[in-house]
Amino acid sequence: MATGSGAAAAAADAEEKESGSRMITLTSNEGKAFVVTEASARQSATIRSMVDDGGCVDKGFPLPNVDSKTLARVIQYCDEHGNKEAHTVDERAALAKFDKDFIAELDADKAFLYDVTMAANYLHIQGLFALTTQCIADTIKGKTPEEIRTAFGIEYDLTAQDEEEIKEEDTHA
Amino acid sequence: MECYGQRSIAGGGDDRLSALPDDILLDIMGNLGVREAGRMAVLSRRWQRLPGLLPRLVIDAREFEPAGLRAGGHARTKRAMERVAGAVESLLPGDRAIERLRLDVYLLRDESHTVRRVVERLNDAVDSGKVAAGGLELVFRATSGGGAPDQDQPSKRQARRLTRLLAAAASPNLLPSVAELSLVNLRFTPPALASLLGRCTGLEELGMYQSDAGFGAVLDVGHARLRRLAVHAGDEAMYKKLRVSSAPRLERVVVANWFCRYAPVSFGHVPCLRELHLKNKAVYYQEPVRLSKMLANAPHLVSLTLGFSSWRIWIEPEAAKQLEPMFSKLKSLVLTGIFRGCDLSWTLFLLQAAPSLKEFILEADKPLDAKAPSDIYGEMPKSDDVTWQVPEFQHHHLKHLEFSGFHEEEMHWRIVELVKERAANLQSIALDDGCQGCDVVANEYFLSGGIKNKKPVLLSVSHKRGSPPILTLV
């Protein structure tokens, strides 16, 4: 029994390593090719499902909605989360630290942060998407509407009547 | 097709928040809480309609507390709850679907009709299918007795009221739709609690915070979908035992503080249990826990945390062979709150019993001698009270040893040496004196040799800012 399950586990392990060692090519909208491990590419649910459906692994995946700069950054995230384990407190702490530094760097360049957010959404990279949207939310938190409008360049187009209605509702809350 | 990443969108300036599509903006607002998200409605026309489209609504009474009134005071919680009821009444009607609705509410000491208003709206939302099945998260917090000396006791009266309210006003579909339930500071009668938990058939997460079913009661949990369970007892919450009969999907259990004489928890069918945290300030009448017995039905643990924070080490020393079946998959072991001056070599039997362990984390407590232990903790044991045998073995998987609260004293150096000798593939040791901003003491010792000048050990020391130095064996 013990040896049987051990052998099965070893086989599964080997298989996992096999598929994990495959390389996948992602191509940005500028036609630049990025070669990543399958484990890294599988961070994206979009790519994962294409790979699992027996898609064109060899030909690679063109990503017409993502430019090279953004894709490079997204891959940086996927490499870290796809290729590293997170079983232990320490491994998780290392990933958390990576996330913290990663997002701090993005936060300094808001336009780039939105690009990465859009790409994470398009590629369905859940962890990265949660990270970037939380970061944007944190920027908004605690600001007055006027401050938010200034910070984000939002044009004010409400009529006096709209505003009255909102105030009405807000007194409930 | 729109191109992500091109900078040519007109009028972008530095920030193009509004260029993001609605579904992303909704995700961002979802991270804000309903009150703050509601405030964003005044930004522009587009933002005005967004709060009404949020798929996940979080209505937390604590966000609605008026600033002017005394924190924790009755007037303040009452006003907050009136606002919550208003928010629920204005946000829940309408025909949009809500995937997840989280309500964190206070139970007031003098009335229950505010909560009733909330429950009635919930009934409608659940009965009409507007809130997805299994999409409810409810937190009920009893408010304190308002300055009475027994205010820290779980409230019996508010538990009774809640029980009555749910029996009378909750739709039969309401409780089965609850995926997460947290009860804070409530003391039920055993049948009332059993019935409440029994009706929440879809429960995925249960939290009992200073909440119980009276002195000596047994808390019985057996839910088909339960994945996470947390039981935090305060000094006054005294359940006798937590019994998890059958929870086939349960992954994580936290039990903090217990007052029973024997093992605080018993597991029936828990094939998915991976993570267990047990923390207790053991008192004099409590018998040490035999881990192999308590964990007999939990053989797949990956992560185990044991917290002590008193003079008592509340586990029994055991032969590694006996523990091994429960520890065979264990990857991470964390021992916290061990009193200063304790000879840590006893911890080795745990390491020996867990051959797959990858990290071993020790946290020594702040010196306890700064404060005399109170009577209930009994006599202060001498540091050699815990003198279990030091086993001889080789460990092949341990990669990382971490010791926070480390002090340059023989006891602490000894455990580091003992682990180092046994763990053949140890890669790193992190020592941290637990004191923010103090210099860590370790480097010199390692570079100059071991205790009593054992053979010198070469280490490379890497310093990263803001984290303890990592000593890497080379």
Side-chain angles (χ1 to χ4, degrees):
Chain A
M1 177 66 197
T3 50
S5 69
D13 218 34
E15 199 184 326
E16 194 175 279
K17 278 203 184 104
E18 176 92 25
S19 72
S21 66
R22 269 200 299 189
M23 300 305 280
I24 286 180
T25 307
L26 308 175
T27 316
S28 74
N29 66 354
E30 292 122 321
K32 191 170 169 199
F34 293 80
V35 181
V36 300
T37 62
E38 181 174 345
S40 172
R42 290 182 82 84
Q43 288 290 304
S44 155
T46 310
I47 297 173
R48 188 163 64 226
S49 63
M50 287 196 280
V51 172
D52 290 345
D53 291 346
C56 44
V57 177
D58 301 331
K59 288 187 213 137
F61 299 96
L63 303 172
N65 294 332
V66 189
D67 66 13
S68 302
K69 182 184 171 198
T70 310
L71 186 56
R73 187 57 67 95
V74 168
I75 288 172
Q76 196 190 343
Y77 176 90
C78 292
D79 280 348
E80 191 73 17
H81 283 260
N83 300 334
K84 300 227 168 119
E85 292 183 20
H87 293 309
T88 62
V89 175
D90 238 62
E91 286 162 357
R92 282 195 290 270
L95 276 179
K97 177 152 190 337
F98 169 85
D99 283 357
K100 203 174 147 223
D101 296 344
F102 184 85
I103 200 67
E105 213 174 297
L106 276 182
D107 194 26
D109 181 358
K110 286 276 192 297
F112 192 33
L113 173 64
Y114 301 146
D115 291 339
V116 173
T117 308
M118 301 270 269
N121 186 47
Y122 165 66
L123 292 166
H124 288 105
I125 306 166
Q126 210 190 353
L128 179 59
F129 186 67
L131 193 65
T132 55
T133 49
Q134 182 65 55
C135 173
I136 300 170
D138 290 344
T139 316
I140 295 169
K141 217 169 265 181
K143 284 199 171 70
T144 66
E146 198 42 57
E147 284 168 336
I148 299 171
R149 244 181 253 127
T150 319
F152 295 101
I154 296 167
E155 202 179 318
Y156 187 76
D157 61 358
L158 291 174
T159 62
Q161 196 193 339
D162 290 335
E163 218 177 329
E164 211 41 56
E165 278 170 24
I166 292 162
K167 273 199 191 127
E168 186 78 10
E169 273 173 38
D170 200 42
T171 49
H172 291 299
Chain B
M1 195 185 274
E2 188 187 359
C3 214
Y4 302 157
Q6 283 188 355
R7 292 296 149 72
S8 56
I9 295 165
D14 280 331
D15 290 300
R16 297 173 302 126
L17 188 66
S18 299
L20 296 172
D22 278 2
D23 54 338
I24 295 185
L25 290 180
L26 285 172
D27 273 293
I28 294 167
M29 291 178 98
N31 287 331
L32 283 173
V34 68
R35 201 164 157 71
E36 193 124 19
R39 258 211 303 265
M40 296 188 71
V42 304
L43 288 178
S44 73
R45 288 219 145 167
R46 177 162 177 231
W47 287 88
Q48 192 183 358
R49 60 185 176 81
L50 285 175
L53 299 173
L54 281 171
R56 180 186 150 93
L57 265 185
V58 179
I59 301 178
D60 186 333
R62 291 168 299 177
E63 272 186 48
F64 288 82
E65 289 182 20
L69 299 165
R70 186 174 62 87
H74 180 62
R76 184 163 161 142
T77 47
K78 198 173 166 75
R79 182 79 190 98
M81 276 309 293
E82 279 163 14
R83 290 172 167 187
V84 165
V88 169
E89 280 163 359
S90 75
L91 285 167
L92 281 193
D95 44 11
R96 56 156 179 156
I98 300 171
E99 284 166 31
R100 203 85 173 168
L101 173 61
R102 183 178 182 87
L103 268 170
D104 192 325
V105 301
Y106 289 122
L107 301 169
L108 300 171
R109 65 181 152 101
D110 60 346
E111 50 102 342
S112 60
H113 60 256
T114 319
V115 179
R116 181 183 287 260
R117 274 164 69 192
V118 172
V119 168
E120 280 165 359
R121 285 296 176 187
L122 284 181
N123 285 341
D124 295 344
V126 169
D127 288 341
S128 66
K130 196 142 68 76
V131 171
L136 273 184
E137 299 170 16
L138 298 180
V139 183
F140 292 108
R141 297 173 189 274
T143 48
S144 66
D150 62 344
Q151 61 171 300
D152 287 338
Q153 276 211 13
S155 169
K156 280 187 199 170
R157 197 191 329 169
Q158 291 172 42
R160 203 159 54 225
R161 267 217 209 97
L162 177 65
T163 307
R164 244 188 270 137
L165 171 70
L166 291 174
S171 136
N173 300 322
L174 183 65
L175 291 176
S177 275
V178 176
E180 287 186 34
L181 179 69
S182 290
L183 301 169
V184 185
N185 220 16
L186 288 163
R187 173 162 293 165
F188 294 87
T189 62
L193 184 61
S195 143
L196 173 60
L197 296 182
R199 286 170 71 193
C200 296
T201 47
L203 218 53
E204 291 170 17
E205 184 161 343
L206 173 64
M208 302 279 294
Y209 301 94
Q210 293 86 50
S211 292
D212 60 14
F215 186 81
V218 172
L219 176 62
D220 237 311
V221 179
H223 287 77
R225 294 191 187 168
L226 195 69
R227 284 171 35 217
R228 288 177 298 271
L229 172 66
V231 180
H232 290 247
D235 284 346
E236 296 292 341
M238 299 214 176
Y239 67 93
K240 192 171 157 203
K241 188 176 195 125
L242 168 64
R243 194 159 54 202
V244 183
S245 49
S246 171
R249 294 196 194 168
L250 190 65
E251 292 164 6
R252 183 174 195 267
V253 173
V254 179
V255 185
N257 292 329
W258 55 84
F259 300 90
C260 51
R261 182 161 174 190
Y262 302 103
V265 52
S266 72
F267 294 111
H269 180 57
V270 285
C272 293
L273 188 64
R274 297 281 180 275
E275 197 181 335
L276 179 62
H277 299 251
L278 297 169
K279 293 183 183 180
N280 189 36
K281 217 170 183 174
V283 292
Y284 66 94
Y285 58 79
Q286 293 183 313
E287 302 283 340
V289 171
R290 181 173 295 176
L291 290 175
S292 64
K293 193 174 163 205
M294 183 172 63
L295 302 175
N297 290 329
H300 301 297
L301 280 184
V302 171
S303 164
L304 177 66
T305 301
L306 303 172
F308 300 97
S309 54
S310 84
W311 299 96
R312 288 171 180 269
I313 301 296
W314 50 260
I315 56 173
E316 199 173 283
E318 293 190 67
K321 275 223 168 337
Q322 213 167 333
L323 257 179
E324 227 183 281
M326 297 87 216
F327 277 16
S328 65
K329 298 218 164 68
L330 204 64
K331 293 257 181 343
S332 170
L333 176 64
V334 184
L335 304 176
T336 70
I338 300 170
F339 63 89
R340 268 289 295 285
C342 177
D343 178 355
L344 289 158
S345 53
W346 66 268
T347 60
L348 289 174
F349 84 94
L350 296 168
L351 186 60
Q352 186 186 17
S356 311
L357 202 70
K358 285 173 83 176
E359 65 175 8
F360 185 30
I361 297 179
L362 289 164
E363 272 178 52
D365 224 331
K366 288 189 268 312
L368 282 177
D369 50 13
K371 198 177 72 186
S374 80
D375 295 349
I376 58 162
Y377 297 120
E379 292 238 327
M380 215 191 289
K382 289 179 196 75
S383 55
D384 59 358
D385 261 16
V386 193
T387 48
W388 297 335
Q389 282 182 356
V390 178
E392 282 306 327
F393 62 97
Q394 278 284 299
H395 199 288
H396 299 287
H397 288 95
L398 191 72
K399 290 204 173 115
H400 181 63
L401 170 68
E402 193 169 316
F403 194 152
S404 74
F406 177 88
H407 279 77
E408 196 159 16
E409 55 191 51
E410 178 141 354
M411 299 282 199
H412 285 182
W413 281 121
R414 180 147 180 258
I415 185 67
V416 173
E417 286 283 315
L418 288 171
V419 172
K420 206 151 59 66
E421 280 167 15
R422 283 159 182 76
N425 296 309
L426 196 65
Q427 289 173 357
S428 60
I429 301 172
L431 304 174
D432 163 12
D433 61 8
C435 164
Q436 298 282 318
C438 303
D439 280 324
V440 179
V441 286
N443 324 5
E444 212 181 314
Y445 159 83
F446 270 102
L447 297 170
S448 64
I451 302 170
K452 291 165 198 136
N453 290 322
K454 273 191 195 162
K455 63 176 186 218
V457 185
L458 286 173
L459 290 135
S460 72
V461 181
S462 70
H463 271 281
K464 272 191 222 149
R465 226 164 10 113
S467 59
I470 306 286
L471 307 167
T472 311
L473 300 168
V474 290

